[in-house]
Amino acid sequence: IQSNQTELSAAAAIVHGLKPNVESYNAVIECWANSKDNISVVRSRTWLSRLEDSSTTPQPNARSYDLYLQSVSRGIGKDAKLHLERAQQAERLLQYRLSADAPNDIRPTTESFNFVLRAYTRCRS
C-alpha cells in the first residue's frame, strides 16, 4: 500500500506541473525495491525506464540503477526461470554501466556487483 501511495504522489506531482528531480524518481524506485509485492521488480523497472526514456526528466544516476538491481536481487516469488531471466537482465545492465559508452555518473558501485551476484543466487529451483 505504501508503494502505491508513493507512486501516486510522484505521479500527482508530475501531473500538477511540478518538476521532480532524480531523487524524486529514486524515492519511488526505492519504495518498489523494498516492496514485497510480486510486481515490485516490474514497477521499479517502469520508473527507471521513465528516467532513461524521457528527454524532459533528469537522467538516472548510479543510485537509480542500484535501486533497480536491489529489487531484482530480492528474488520475490518462486519462479526460478523468471529469477534467472531477471538476473541475466541485471548482468547486462551492469555490463552496460561498465562500458565506455556509459556516462561516468552511472558507473557501478560495489553494491551493484553484490546485487547482481545475489540475483543469481535466487535462481535455484
Side-chain angles (χ1 to χ4, degrees), residues 54-103:
S54 178
S55 60
T56 60
T57 60
Q59 292 299 301
N61 58 22
R63 179 157 169 74
S64 308
Y65 287 105
D66 282 350
L67 289 167
Y68 168 69
L69 292 175
Q70 177 186 351
S71 70
V72 170
S73 75
R74 294 186 66 229
I76 294 179
K78 299 196 183 282
D79 187 344
K81 183 178 177 185
L82 181 60
H83 291 310
L84 178 59
E85 289 171 11
R86 288 181 175 163
Q88 290 168 338
Q89 289 170 356
E91 183 179 4
R92 284 191 296 274
L93 179 60
L94 184 64
Q95 289 171 344
Y96 164 69
R97 291 173 67 190
L98 286 167
S99 74
D101 297 336

Side-chain angles (χ1 to χ4, degrees), residues 1 16 24 33 54 83:
I1 294 174
H16 287 49
S24 303
S54 178
H83 291 310

Side-chain angles (χ1 to χ4, degrees), residues 31-124:
C31 284
W32 282 112
N34 292 318
S35 171
K36 293 181 182 175
D37 194 331
N38 284 336
I39 199 166
S40 61
V41 175
V42 173
R43 293 293 177 118
S44 62
R45 181 65 216 180
T46 299
W47 282 94
L48 178 60
S49 293
R50 289 180 186 182
L51 279 173
E52 292 174 326
D53 297 339
S54 178
S55 60
T56 60
T57 60
Q59 292 299 301
N61 58 22
R63 179 157 169 74
S64 308
Y65 287 105
D66 282 350
L67 289 167
Y68 168 69
L69 292 175
Q70 177 186 351
S71 70
V72 170
S73 75
R74 294 186 66 229
I76 294 179
K78 299 196 183 282
D79 187 344
K81 183 178 177 185
L82 181 60
H83 291 310
L84 178 59
E85 289 171 11
R86 288 181 175 163
Q88 290 168 338
Q89 289 170 356
E91 183 179 4
R92 284 191 296 274
L93 179 60
L94 184 64
Q95 289 171 344
Y96 164 69
R97 291 173 67 190
L98 286 167
S99 74
D101 297 336
N104 283 334
D105 60 342
I106 69 162
R107 293 288 182 214
T109 64
T110 302
E111 282 186 321
S112 307
F113 291 93
N114 289 336
F115 289 139
V116 172
L117 289 171
R118 189 167 58 177
Y120 273 107
T121 67
R122 305 295 189 228
C123 299
R124 294 176 272 186

